[in-house]
Amino acid sequence: MFTDKDIAVLVQQSKLFLQNSSDVNYIENNIEQLRNVLRFHEYRYYVLNDALINDNEYDFLFSLLETAEQKNPSLITKDSPTQRVGSSLNEGFETVQHLVPMLSLDNSYNAEDLQDFDRKVKEVSGLQEIEYCIEPKFDGASISLIYENNLLVRATTRGNGVEGDDITTNIKQIRSIPLSAPFSQYGIEQIEIRGEVIMTKDAFNKYNERLTEQGLPTVANPRNTAAGSLRIKDPKEVANRNLDAFLYHVSYIASSNSSKGGALEMFNSNVTAQISSLSNGGATHAEQLKLLWDCGLRSTEKIKKVAKNIQEVIEYVTTFEQKRDELPYEIDGMVIKVNNLSLQEELGMTSHHPRWAIAYKFKARQATTILKAVEFQVGRTGAITPVAKLEPVFIGGVTVSSISVHNEYYIKEKDLKIGDTVLIERAGDVIPQIVKSVVEKRNGTEKEITFPTTCPVCNNTLFKEDDEAVWRCINIECTAQVVEKIIHFASKDAMDIKSFGEANVRKFYELNLLKDIPEIYKLDFSKIGTLEGFGKKSIDNLQAAIEASKQQPLNRLIYGLGIRFVGETTAKTLANSVEHLLDCKHKTEEDLQQLEDVGIKVAKSIHHFFSNSSNIQMLEELEHLGLQLKNTKKQAVGSGGLAGQTFLFTGTLSKLKRSEAEALAEQQGGIIVSGISAKLNYLVVGVDAGSKLEKAKKINSIKIISEEEFLKLIGG
Ligand code: IVH
């Protein structure tokens, strides 16, 4: 899509925009160039996976465009990179007709099925050998896109195949799908493209981490999550889930020099006939994939394989099956397509599937085994997790011998009993799940799974909140919880104490060298030195890592405390809302609820933590031991005319960028906070201010001022 020369120019232009970022005229006069630069970097990052600038530089360039467009709304174009963001839907999705019905695929499971398919194709064509194009069969949700005059005008779910839901706004959140593409260069006025929205294993695991952090149940597999994500009504949330897409089929093309009106009339006629008669789309499927790729779309161009005959297909798909786990996303098979488009047309289709394509389904990564026992583990927050112990079974490349069965309800819902034969499924990197118990195999000796009423570690009575599925041990001195808490405190995303992982924590705890978090900072290294496997070097490293962790910023410390529902994001919000962590002692639940994304449940949990005197004692001890409980960012604030005054900016400012305004306030000693609370002095309101303004109006002490008033306040 871009020549080396184009790339050199675009990289140079990126540099110029970064250098001239404060020259408003330069930005405004070259705004389309700036958009192109951003589109180019999106393409490098999301389609090619080969970014040429870092995230901060991209965000900065993006903010330049945003500011320029906000100042001059007439300069905004429909396909500007800023136009992905959409507003939430109140109503349901609109139902729209596909230009051409979305068909399914016939399935094959072995070499014989593929030979049969090939035989039928040969019969129709009279040819000796058929050329095929092979692609992965993505395990996601199918979509249909329409570009008209180079603009993405509509994106639809499959629906019933004839009509689907208009999900354009949600699809625009997927950065690998461009808002515009230069189809007109190929004489194409309108094009309908089919593809699959997927969630990579990485995005899926991150999403589950986020759910866990928020105390929500995790999701079971990337396919359902991708499909579900397309139908949520909040595009921002769709963007947060980092969906991805591959495009694999052109279902309709109208070229600029043919009459366009034919599209819907041709609704039920042969798709490929339209392609070959109306388009410059090429003579083979592979050429169409290349055309899409050349227009900047993430087609299967780079992962497809053209095979000379069915033997090559069989060899390729069987070898590919072995490699499926190496891919960053889930596939459930391969799709084999007759490459020649006029032969596709000749073969036609049934009402269900085209006769020119077939799916080769990989063997399901499922297996049956025996559920031998259920053990109950105690987590960091005291949650009791039942873990099914299985007769070890090899599935999808690994041996599985235990699986979490989550909670009491899950066990009931799946009707699990000890001694049952159970069906296990494993999708890629995703944690194995029990699909069901095979009740037909029961012989009457199976036993009910009984939930304990006391903690399996400390024997204290277990409790359960009415609205929760989880039983908990609430004894904060429960050994299991203490060890898990220390492990979490030292972990990578918290205090990041290198060489102080799970194994060492458990070992030190068992040897009585460590009883609680503060004791990490009081370890007796001379004793550790006598342990097997601890030479001078490893002791030095451990000591240095523990010492270094004292300087970790407040948000990491807060996260490390393992307060229920306080994940990394809430930890940052909380850190930014105080000057010293112990200020939290004085915050009421209502104060806490004023913080961004802090709801009743989270506020209650934070309040509960800071109302507990042993927690306060522990924090005081940590401070005494040299840990950072002060918010150092706030400490750095100067002593200008606004010293100590707190500011929050909301809505879109017209004269300043948000970051500039914040910097100006800070220069004069102001403090930037992230949420509305009684401690906020000034809320500076721009255009389209939302819920923060509403919240602030309810607190009399907050001064609500405009951008102009803010400028006056800081001296013009
Ligand atoms: S071609 C008319 N290619 O699998 C041709 N489909 O089980 C339509 N799928 O409905 C489909 N990867 O959602 C095609 N590389 C690929 C695919 C693919 C996944 C999906 C598609 C289809 C389903 C059939």
Side-chain angles (χ1 to χ4, degrees), residues 103-105 135-138 142 158 196 248 335 337 354 356:
L103 295 183
S104 195
L105 288 171
E135 298 159 16
K137 184 172 182 312
F138 304 98
S142 46
R158 178 194 157 86
E196 202 87 353
Y248 46 63
V335 182
K337 300 173 181 174
W356 45 262

Side-chain angles (χ1 to χ4, degrees), residues 94-109:
E94 198 187 331
T95 307
V96 284
Q97 255 186 1
H98 300 300
L99 294 186
V100 168
M102 282 178 89
L103 295 183
S104 195
L105 288 171
D106 200 8
N107 289 328
S108 67
Y109 300 93

